[in-house]
Coordinates of all heavy atoms in Angstrom, one line a residue:
M1 N 54.0 -67.2 -55.4 CA 53.1 -66.4 -54.6 C 53.9 -65.1 -54.2 O 55.0 -65.2 -53.8 CB 52.7 -67.1 -53.4 CG 51.6 -66.4 -52.7 SD 51.0 -67.3 -51.2 CE 50.1 -68.6 -51.9
S2 N 53.2 -64.0 -54.4 CA 53.8 -62.7 -54.1 C 53.9 -62.4 -52.6 O 53.0 -62.8 -51.9 CB 53.1 -61.6 -54.8 OG 53.5 -60.3 -54.4
D3 N 54.8 -61.6 -52.1 CA 54.9 -61.2 -50.8 C 54.0 -60.0 -50.5 O 53.9 -59.5 -49.4 CB 56.3 -60.8 -50.3 CG 57.2 -62.1 -50.3 OD1 56.7 -63.2 -50.1 OD2 58.4 -61.9 -50.4
F4 N 53.4 -59.5 -51.6 CA 52.6 -58.2 -51.4 C 51.3 -58.5 -52.2 O 51.3 -58.8 -53.4 CB 53.3 -57.0 -52.0 CG 52.6 -55.7 -51.7 CD1 52.8 -55.1 -50.5 CD2 51.8 -55.2 -52.6 CE1 52.1 -53.9 -50.2 CE2 51.1 -54.0 -52.4 CZ 51.2 -53.4 -51.2
H5 N 50.2 -58.2 -51.6 CA 48.9 -58.3 -52.2 C 48.4 -56.9 -52.6 O 48.4 -56.0 -51.7 CB 47.8 -59.0 -51.4 CG 48.1 -60.4 -51.2 ND1 47.3 -61.2 -50.4 CD2 49.0 -61.3 -51.8 CE1 47.8 -62.5 -50.4 NE2 48.8 -62.6 -51.2
E6 N 48.0 -56.6 -53.8 CA 47.6 -55.3 -54.2 C 46.1 -55.1 -53.9 O 45.3 -55.0 -54.8 CB 47.9 -55.2 -55.7 CG 47.8 -53.8 -56.3 CD 48.9 -52.9 -55.7 OE1 50.0 -53.2 -55.7 OE2 48.5 -51.8 -55.2
V7 N 45.8 -55.1 -52.7 CA 44.5 -54.8 -52.1 C 44.6 -53.8 -51.0 O 45.7 -53.6 -50.4 CB 43.8 -56.1 -51.6 CG1 43.5 -57.1 -52.7 CG2 44.6 -56.7 -50.5
R8 N 43.5 -53.1 -50.7 CA 43.5 -52.1 -49.7 C 42.8 -52.7 -48.4 O 41.8 -53.5 -48.5 CB 42.7 -50.9 -50.1 CG 43.4 -50.1 -51.2 CD 42.8 -48.7 -51.3 NE 43.4 -48.0 -52.4 CZ 44.5 -47.3 -52.2 NH1 45.0 -47.1 -51.0 NH2 45.0 -46.6 -53.2
F9 N 43.2 -52.2 -47.3 CA 42.6 -52.5 -46.0 C 41.2 -52.0 -46.1 O 41.0 -50.9 -46.7 CB 43.4 -52.0 -44.9 CG 43.0 -52.4 -43.5 CD1 43.3 -53.6 -43.0 CD2 42.3 -51.5 -42.8 CE1 42.9 -54.0 -41.7 CE2 41.9 -51.8 -41.4 CZ 42.2 -53.1 -41.0
P10 N 40.2 -52.6 -45.4 CA 38.8 -52.0 -45.4 C 38.7 -50.5 -45.1 O 39.2 -50.2 -43.9 CB 38.1 -52.9 -44.4 CG 38.8 -54.2 -44.4 CD 40.2 -53.8 -44.6
F11 N 38.3 -49.7 -45.9 CA 38.4 -48.2 -45.8 C 37.7 -47.7 -44.6 O 38.2 -46.8 -43.9 CB 37.9 -47.5 -47.1 CG 38.0 -46.1 -47.1 CD1 39.3 -45.5 -47.3 CD2 36.9 -45.3 -46.9 CE1 39.4 -44.2 -47.2 CE2 37.0 -43.9 -46.9 CZ 38.3 -43.4 -47.1
A12 N 36.5 -48.2 -44.3 CA 35.7 -47.7 -43.2 C 36.4 -48.0 -41.9 O 36.3 -47.1 -41.0 CB 34.3 -48.3 -43.2
V13 N 37.1 -49.1 -41.8 CA 37.9 -49.4 -40.5 C 39.1 -48.5 -40.5 O 39.5 -48.1 -39.4 CB 38.2 -50.9 -40.5 CG1 39.0 -51.2 -39.3 CG2 36.8 -51.7 -40.5
A14 N 39.8 -48.3 -41.7 CA 41.1 -47.6 -41.7 C 40.9 -46.2 -41.2 O 41.8 -45.6 -40.7 CB 41.6 -47.7 -43.1
L15 N 39.7 -45.6 -41.5 CA 39.5 -44.1 -41.1 C 39.5 -44.0 -39.6 O 39.9 -43.0 -39.1 CB 38.1 -43.7 -41.6 CG 37.9 -43.4 -43.1 CD1 36.6 -43.1 -43.4 CD2 38.9 -42.4 -43.5
G16 N 39.2 -45.0 -38.8 CA 39.3 -44.9 -37.3 C 40.6 -45.4 -36.7 O 40.8 -45.3 -35.5
A17 N 41.5 -45.8 -37.6 CA 42.8 -46.3 -37.1 C 43.7 -45.2 -36.8 O 43.6 -44.1 -37.2 CB 43.4 -47.2 -38.2
R18 N 44.7 -45.6 -35.9 CA 45.7 -44.6 -35.6 C 47.1 -45.3 -35.5 O 47.1 -46.6 -35.4 CB 45.5 -43.9 -34.3 CG 45.5 -44.9 -33.1 CD 45.2 -44.3 -31.8 NE 45.1 -45.3 -30.7 CZ 44.8 -45.0 -29.5 NH1 44.7 -43.7 -29.1 NH2 44.7 -46.0 -28.6
G19 N 48.2 -44.6 -35.7 CA 49.5 -45.2 -35.7 C 50.4 -44.5 -36.8 O 50.0 -43.5 -37.3
G20 N 51.4 -45.2 -37.1 CA 52.4 -44.6 -38.0 C 53.8 -45.3 -37.8 O 53.9 -46.3 -37.2
P21 N 54.8 -44.6 -38.3 CA 56.1 -45.1 -38.3 C 56.7 -45.1 -36.9 O 56.4 -44.2 -36.1 CB 57.0 -44.2 -39.2 CG 56.1 -43.0 -39.4 CD 54.8 -43.3 -39.1
A22 N 57.4 -46.2 -36.5 CA 58.1 -46.3 -35.2 C 59.5 -46.9 -35.4 O 59.7 -47.7 -36.2 CB 57.2 -47.2 -34.3
R23 N 60.4 -46.4 -34.6 CA 61.8 -46.8 -34.6 C 62.1 -47.6 -33.3 O 61.6 -47.1 -32.2 CB 62.7 -45.7 -34.8 CG 62.7 -45.1 -36.2 CD 63.9 -44.4 -36.6 NE 63.9 -44.0 -37.9 CZ 64.4 -44.7 -38.9 NH1 65.0 -45.8 -38.7 NH2 64.4 -44.2 -40.2
V24 N 62.8 -48.6 -33.4 CA 63.3 -49.3 -32.2 C 64.8 -49.1 -32.1 O 65.6 -49.5 -32.9 CB 63.0 -50.9 -32.3 CG1 63.5 -51.6 -31.1 CG2 61.5 -51.1 -32.5
T25 N 65.2 -48.5 -31.0 CA 66.6 -48.2 -30.7 C 67.0 -48.8 -29.3 O 66.3 -48.5 -28.4 CB 66.9 -46.7 -30.8 OG1 66.4 -46.2 -32.0 CG2 68.3 -46.4 -30.6
E26 N 68.0 -49.5 -29.3 CA 68.6 -50.0 -28.0 C 69.7 -49.2 -27.5 O 70.5 -48.8 -28.3 CB 69.1 -51.4 -28.2 CG 68.0 -52.4 -28.6 CD 68.6 -53.8 -28.9 OE1 69.8 -53.9 -29.2 OE2 67.8 -54.7 -29.0
I27 N 69.7 -48.8 -26.2 CA 70.8 -48.0 -25.7 C 71.5 -48.8 -24.6 O 70.8 -49.3 -23.6 CB 70.2 -46.7 -25.1 CG1 69.4 -45.9 -26.1 CG2 71.3 -45.9 -24.4 CD1 68.7 -44.6 -25.6
V28 N 72.7 -49.0 -24.7 CA 73.5 -49.9 -23.8 C 74.5 -48.9 -23.1 O 75.3 -48.2 -23.7 CB 74.3 -50.9 -24.6 CG1 75.1 -51.8 -23.6 CG2 73.3 -51.8 -25.4
A29 N 74.4 -49.0 -21.7 CA 75.4 -48.2 -20.9 C 76.7 -49.0 -20.8 O 76.6 -50.2 -20.3 CB 74.8 -47.9 -19.6
L30 N 77.8 -48.5 -21.1 CA 79.0 -49.1 -21.0 C 79.6 -48.9 -19.7 O 79.3 -48.0 -18.9 CB 80.0 -48.6 -22.1 CG 79.4 -48.8 -23.6 CD1 80.4 -48.1 -24.6 CD2 79.2 -50.2 -23.9
A31 N 80.6 -49.8 -19.3 CA 81.3 -49.6 -18.0 C 82.0 -48.3 -17.9 O 82.1 -47.8 -16.7 CB 82.3 -50.8 -17.8
S32 N 82.4 -47.7 -18.9 CA 83.1 -46.4 -18.9 C 82.2 -45.3 -18.6 O 82.7 -44.2 -18.4 CB 83.9 -46.2 -20.3 OG 82.9 -46.0 -21.3
G33 N 80.9 -45.5 -18.6 CA 79.9 -44.4 -18.3 C 79.3 -43.9 -19.7 O 78.4 -43.1 -19.7
R34 N 79.9 -44.2 -20.8 CA 79.4 -43.8 -22.1 C 78.3 -44.8 -22.5 O 78.1 -45.7 -21.8 CB 80.5 -43.9 -23.2 CG 81.7 -42.9 -22.8 CD 82.7 -42.9 -23.8 NE 82.2 -42.0 -24.9 CZ 82.9 -41.7 -26.0 NH1 84.1 -42.1 -26.1 NH2 82.3 -40.9 -26.9
E35 N 77.6 -44.4 -23.5 CA 76.5 -45.3 -24.0 C 76.7 -45.6 -25.5 O 77.3 -44.8 -26.2 CB 75.2 -44.7 -23.8 CG 75.0 -43.3 -24.3 CD 73.6 -42.7 -23.9 OE1 73.2 -42.8 -22.8 OE2 73.0 -42.0 -24.8
H36 N 76.2 -46.7 -25.9 CA 76.2 -47.1 -27.3 C 74.7 -47.3 -27.8 O 73.9 -48.0 -27.1 CB 77.0 -48.5 -27.5 CG 77.0 -49.0 -28.8 ND1 77.8 -48.4 -29.9 CD2 76.4 -50.0 -29.5 CE1 77.6 -49.0 -30.9 NE2 76.7 -50.0 -30.7
R37 N 74.4 -46.8 -28.9 CA 73.1 -46.9 -29.5 C 73.1 -47.7 -30.6 O 73.9 -47.6 -31.5 CB 72.5 -45.5 -29.8 CG 72.4 -44.6 -28.5 CD 72.0 -43.2 -28.9 NE 72.0 -42.4 -27.7 CZ 70.9 -42.0 -27.1 NH1 69.7 -42.3 -27.6 NH2 70.9 -41.2 -26.0
N38 N 72.1 -48.6 -30.7 CA 72.0 -49.5 -31.9 C 70.5 -49.5 -32.4 O 69.6 -49.8 -31.6 CB 72.3 -51.0 -31.4 CG 72.3 -52.0 -32.5 OD1 72.7 -51.6 -33.7 ND2 71.9 -53.1 -32.2
A39 N 70.4 -49.2 -33.6 CA 69.1 -49.3 -34.3 C 68.9 -50.7 -34.8 O 69.7 -51.2 -35.6 CB 69.0 -48.3 -35.5
R40 N 67.7 -51.3 -34.5 CA 67.5 -52.7 -34.8 C 67.1 -52.9 -36.3 O 67.3 -53.9 -36.8 CB 66.4 -53.3 -33.9 CG 66.9 -53.4 -32.5 CD 65.8 -53.9 -31.5 NE 65.5 -55.3 -32.0 CZ 64.4 -55.9 -31.5 NH1 63.7 -55.4 -30.6 NH2 64.2 -57.2 -31.9
H41 N 66.6 -51.8 -36.9 CA 66.2 -51.9 -38.3 C 66.7 -50.6 -39.0 O 66.8 -49.5 -38.5 CB 64.7 -51.9 -38.4 CG 64.1 -53.0 -37.6 ND1 64.2 -54.3 -38.0 CD2 63.4 -53.0 -36.5 CE1 63.5 -55.1 -37.2 NE2 63.0 -54.3 -36.2
A42 N 67.1 -50.8 -40.3 CA 67.5 -49.6 -41.1 C 66.4 -48.6 -41.4 O 66.8 -47.4 -41.4 CB 68.1 -50.2 -42.4
H43 N 65.2 -49.0 -41.5 CA 64.1 -48.2 -41.7 C 63.1 -48.3 -40.7 O 63.0 -49.3 -40.0 CB 63.5 -48.4 -43.1 CG 64.5 -48.3 -44.2 ND1 65.0 -47.2 -44.6 CD2 65.1 -49.3 -44.9 CE1 65.8 -47.4 -45.6 NE2 65.9 -48.7 -45.8
A44 N 62.2 -47.3 -40.5 CA 61.1 -47.3 -39.5 C 60.1 -48.4 -39.9 O 59.8 -48.7 -41.0 CB 60.4 -45.9 -39.5
R45 N 59.6 -49.0 -38.9 CA 58.5 -50.0 -39.0 C 57.2 -49.3 -38.7 O 57.2 -48.4 -37.9 CB 58.7 -51.2 -38.0 CG 60.0 -51.9 -38.1 CD 60.1 -52.7 -39.4 NE 61.3 -53.5 -39.4 CZ 61.8 -54.0 -40.5 NH1 61.3 -53.8 -41.6 NH2 62.9 -54.7 -40.4
R46 N 56.2 -49.7 -39.4 CA 54.9 -49.2 -39.2 C 54.1 -50.0 -38.3 O 54.1 -51.2 -38.3 CB 54.2 -49.0 -40.6 CG 54.4 -47.8 -41.4 CD 55.8 -47.8 -41.9 NE 56.1 -46.6 -42.7 CZ 57.2 -46.1 -42.9 NH1 58.3 -46.7 -42.4 NH2 57.4 -45.1 -43.8
R47 N 53.4 -49.3 -37.4 CA 52.5 -50.0 -36.5 C 51.2 -49.2 -36.4 O 51.2 -48.0 -36.2 CB 53.2 -50.0 -35.1 CG 52.4 -50.7 -34.1 CD 53.2 -50.9 -32.8 NE 54.3 -51.7 -33.1 CZ 54.7 -52.9 -32.6 NH1 54.0 -53.3 -31.5 NH2 55.7 -53.6 -32.9
Y48 N 50.1 -49.9 -36.6 CA 48.8 -49.3 -36.6 C 47.9 -50.1 -35.7 O 48.0 -51.2 -35.4 CB 48.2 -49.3 -38.0 CG 49.0 -48.4 -38.9 CD1 50.0 -49.0 -39.7 CD2 48.7 -47.0 -39.0 CE1 50.7 -48.2 -40.6 CE2 49.4 -46.3 -39.9 CZ 50.4 -46.8 -40.7 OH 51.1 -46.0 -41.5
D49 N 46.9 -49.3 -35.1 CA 45.9 -49.9 -34.3 C 44.5 -49.6 -34.9 O 44.1 -48.5 -34.9 CB 45.9 -49.3 -32.9 CG 44.8 -49.9 -31.9 OD1 44.1 -50.8 -32.4 OD2 44.7 -49.4 -30.9
A50 N 43.9 -50.6 -35.5 CA 42.7 -50.4 -36.3 C 41.5 -50.7 -35.4 O 40.3 -50.6 -35.8 CB 42.7 -51.2 -37.6
G51 N 41.7 -51.1 -34.1 CA 40.6 -51.5 -33.3 C 39.5 -50.4 -33.1 O 38.4 -50.7 -32.9
L52 N 40.0 -49.2 -33.1 CA 39.0 -48.0 -32.9 C 38.2 -47.9 -34.1 O 37.1 -47.3 -33.9 CB 39.8 -46.7 -32.6 CG 40.7 -46.7 -31.4 CD1 41.5 -45.5 -31.4 CD2 39.8 -46.8 -30.1
G53 N 38.5 -48.4 -35.3 CA 37.7 -48.2 -36.5 C 36.6 -49.3 -36.6 O 35.7 -49.2 -37.4
I54 N 36.7 -50.4 -35.8 CA 35.7 -51.5 -35.8 C 34.6 -51.1 -34.9 O 34.7 -51.1 -33.7 CB 36.4 -52.8 -35.4 CG1 37.5 -53.1 -36.3 CG2 35.4 -53.8 -35.3 CD1 38.4 -54.4 -35.9
R55 N 33.5 -50.7 -35.5 CA 32.3 -50.3 -34.7 C 31.1 -51.3 -34.8 O 30.2 -51.1 -34.0 CB 31.9 -48.9 -35.2 CG 32.9 -47.8 -34.9 CD 32.3 -46.5 -35.4 NE 33.0 -45.3 -35.0 CZ 34.3 -45.0 -35.1 NH1 35.1 -45.8 -35.4 NH2 34.8 -43.8 -34.7
T56 N 31.2 -52.2 -35.7 CA 30.1 -53.1 -35.8 C 30.6 -54.6 -35.9 O 31.8 -54.8 -36.2 CB 29.2 -52.9 -37.1 OG1 30.0 -53.1 -38.3 CG2 28.7 -51.5 -37.1
L57 N 29.8 -55.5 -35.7 CA 30.2 -56.9 -35.8 C 30.5 -57.3 -37.3 O 31.5 -58.0 -37.5 CB 29.0 -57.8 -35.3 CG 29.4 -59.3 -35.1 CD1 30.6 -59.4 -34.1 CD2 28.2 -60.0 -34.5
D58 N 29.8 -56.6 -38.2 CA 30.1 -56.9 -39.7 C 31.6 -56.4 -40.0 O 32.3 -57.0 -40.7 CB 29.1 -56.2 -40.6 CG 27.8 -56.9 -40.5 OD1 27.8 -58.1 -40.2 OD2 26.8 -56.3 -40.9
A59 N 32.0 -55.2 -39.4 CA 33.3 -54.7 -39.7 C 34.3 -55.6 -39.1 O 35.4 -55.8 -39.7 CB 33.4 -53.3 -39.1
L60 N 34.1 -56.2 -37.9 CA 35.0 -57.1 -37.3 C 35.2 -58.4 -38.2 O 36.3 -58.7 -38.4 CB 34.5 -57.6 -35.9 CG 35.4 -58.6 -35.2 CD1 36.8 -58.1 -34.9 CD2 34.6 -59.1 -33.9
H61 N 34.1 -58.9 -38.7 CA 34.2 -60.1 -39.5 C 35.0 -59.7 -40.9 O 35.7 -60.5 -41.4 CB 32.8 -60.6 -39.9 CG 32.1 -61.2 -38.7 ND1 32.6 -62.3 -38.1 CD2 30.9 -60.9 -38.2 CE1 31.8 -62.6 -37.1 NE2 30.8 -61.8 -37.1
E62 N 34.8 -58.5 -41.4 CA 35.5 -58.1 -42.6 C 37.0 -58.0 -42.3 O 37.8 -58.5 -43.2 CB 34.9 -56.7 -43.1 CG 35.5 -56.2 -44.3 CD 35.0 -54.9 -44.7 OE1 34.2 -54.2 -43.9 OE2 35.3 -54.5 -45.9
V63 N 37.4 -57.5 -41.2 CA 38.8 -57.4 -40.9 C 39.4 -58.8 -40.7 O 40.5 -59.1 -41.1 CB 39.0 -56.4 -39.7 CG1 40.5 -56.6 -39.1 CG2 38.7 -55.1 -40.0
V64 N 38.7 -59.6 -39.9 CA 39.2 -61.0 -39.7 C 39.4 -61.7 -41.0 O 40.4 -62.4 -41.3 CB 38.3 -61.8 -38.8 CG1 38.6 -63.3 -38.8 CG2 38.3 -61.2 -37.4
A65 N 38.4 -61.6 -42.0 CA 38.5 -62.3 -43.2 C 39.6 -61.7 -44.1 O 40.3 -62.4 -44.8 CB 37.2 -62.1 -44.0
F66 N 39.8 -60.4 -43.9 CA 40.9 -59.7 -44.7 C 42.3 -60.3 -44.2 O 43.1 -60.7 -45.1 CB 40.9 -58.2 -44.4 CG 42.0 -57.4 -45.1 CD1 41.8 -57.0 -46.5 CD2 43.1 -57.1 -44.5 CE1 42.8 -56.3 -47.1 CE2 44.2 -56.4 -45.2 CZ 43.9 -56.0 -46.5
F67 N 42.5 -60.4 -42.9 CA 43.8 -60.9 -42.4 C 43.9 -62.4 -42.7 O 45.0 -62.9 -42.8 CB 44.0 -60.6 -40.9 CG 44.5 -59.2 -40.7 CD1 43.7 -58.2 -40.3 CD2 45.8 -58.9 -41.0 CE1 44.0 -56.9 -40.1 CE2 46.2 -57.6 -40.9 CZ 45.4 -56.6 -40.4
E68 N 42.8 -63.2 -42.7 CA 42.9 -64.6 -43.1 C 43.4 -64.8 -44.5 O 44.2 -65.6 -44.8 CB 41.6 -65.3 -42.9 CG 41.2 -65.5 -41.5 CD 42.2 -66.5 -40.8 OE1 42.7 -67.5 -41.4 OE2 42.5 -66.3 -39.6
E69 N 42.9 -63.8 -45.5 CA 43.3 -63.9 -46.8 C 44.9 -63.5 -46.9 O 45.5 -64.0 -47.8 CB 42.6 -62.9 -47.7 CG 41.2 -63.3 -48.0 CD 41.2 -64.5 -48.9 OE1 41.9 -64.6 -49.9 OE2 40.4 -65.5 -48.6
R70 N 45.4 -62.7 -46.1 CA 46.8 -62.3 -46.1 C 47.6 -63.2 -45.3 O 48.8 -63.1 -45.2 CB 47.0 -60.9 -45.5 CG 46.2 -59.7 -46.1 CD 46.4 -59.6 -47.5 NE 45.1 -59.0 -48.0 CZ 44.3 -59.7 -48.8 NH1 44.6 -60.9 -49.2 NH2 43.1 -59.3 -49.1
R71 N 46.9 -64.2 -44.6 CA 47.6 -65.2 -43.7 C 48.4 -64.4 -42.7 O 49.6 -64.6 -42.4 CB 48.4 -66.1 -44.5 CG 47.7 -67.0 -45.4 CD 48.5 -68.0 -46.1 NE 47.5 -68.8 -46.9 CZ 47.9 -69.4 -48.0 NH1 49.1 -69.2 -48.4 NH2 47.1 -70.1 -48.7
G72 N 47.7 -63.6 -42.0 CA 48.3 -62.7 -40.9 C 49.3 -61.7 -41.4 O 48.9 -60.9 -42.3
R73 N 50.5 -61.8 -41.1 CA 51.5 -60.9 -41.6 C 52.4 -61.4 -42.8 O 53.4 -60.8 -43.1 CB 52.4 -60.5 -40.4 CG 51.7 -59.7 -39.4 CD 52.4 -59.4 -38.1 NE 53.8 -59.2 -38.3 CZ 54.7 -59.0 -37.3 NH1 54.2 -59.0 -36.1 NH2 55.9 -58.8 -37.5
L74 N 52.0 -62.6 -43.3 CA 52.8 -63.2 -44.4 C 52.8 -62.3 -45.6 O 53.9 -62.3 -46.3 CB 52.2 -64.6 -44.7 CG 52.9 -65.4 -45.7 CD1 54.4 -65.7 -45.3 CD2 52.2 -66.7 -46.0
H75 N 51.8 -61.7 -46.0 CA 51.7 -60.8 -47.2 C 51.4 -59.4 -46.8 O 50.5 -59.1 -46.0 CB 50.6 -61.3 -48.1 CG 50.9 -62.8 -48.5 ND1 51.8 -63.1 -49.5 CD2 50.2 -63.9 -48.1 CE1 51.7 -64.4 -49.6 NE2 50.8 -64.9 -48.8
G76 N 52.0 -58.4 -47.4 CA 51.8 -57.0 -47.2 C 50.6 -56.6 -48.1 O 50.1 -57.3 -48.9
F77 N 50.1 -55.4 -47.7 CA 48.9 -54.8 -48.4 C 48.9 -53.3 -48.2 O 49.7 -52.7 -47.5 CB 47.6 -55.4 -47.7 CG 47.5 -55.2 -46.3 CD1 46.9 -54.0 -45.7 CD2 48.0 -56.1 -45.4 CE1 46.8 -53.9 -44.4 CE2 47.9 -55.9 -44.0 CZ 47.3 -54.8 -43.5
R78 N 48.0 -52.7 -49.0 CA 47.9 -51.2 -48.9 C 47.0 -50.8 -47.8 O 46.0 -51.5 -47.5 CB 47.2 -50.7 -50.2 CG 47.9 -51.0 -51.4 CD 48.7 -49.9 -51.9 NE 49.4 -50.2 -53.2 CZ 50.7 -50.1 -53.3 NH1 51.4 -49.5 -52.4 NH2 51.3 -50.4 -54.4
F79 N 47.4 -49.9 -46.9 CA 46.7 -49.4 -45.8 C 46.1 -48.0 -46.1 O 46.8 -47.1 -46.5 CB 47.5 -49.4 -44.6 CG 46.7 -49.1 -43.3 CD1 46.0 -50.1 -42.7 CD2 46.7 -47.8 -42.8 CE1 45.3 -49.9 -41.6 CE2 46.0 -47.6 -41.6 CZ 45.3 -48.6 -41.0

């Protein structure tokens, strides 16, 4: 089984989505007064909110079915 499914997220819902790349950086203050920065990931992670694109009950059911097919975050897909 592939880690990526070659399907697109429902287009009508994706038009109302917002988000994009995000980086997580930890900043630790040292006893000397200096700071140390640590990036938790080598590349940016993408985070999207598609809730604004869901305008009907049918669209909600379509998104739920889509994520059930992907088993949540187990498989990637085209957005």
Side-chain angles (χ1 to χ4, degrees):
M1 188 180 291
S2 172
D3 290 339
F4 188 85
H5 290 174
E6 194 62 51
V7 296
R8 291 191 183 274
F9 188 75
F11 184 71
V13 177
L15 286 178
R18 63 180 174 179
R23 293 201 171 265
V24 179
T25 305
E26 297 172 342
I27 303 172
V28 179
L30 303 175
S32 66
R34 300 184 76 175
E35 57 186 39
H36 178 74
R37 296 172 185 256
N38 183 35
R40 294 180 61 191
H41 306 288
H43 302 288
R45 302 290 187 202
R46 272 68 175 160
R47 181 170 298 233
Y48 295 94
D49 180 5
L52 296 173
I54 299 174
R55 292 182 170 49
T56 65
L57 194 55
D58 288 337
L60 175 62
H61 291 303
E62 184 180 9
V63 169
V64 169
F66 181 85
F67 278 106
E68 285 297 321
E69 286 292 319
R70 305 305 144 251
R71 296 189 178 147
R73 293 172 35 181
L74 183 62
H75 302 283
F77 56 89
R78 302 256 179 235
F79 188 79

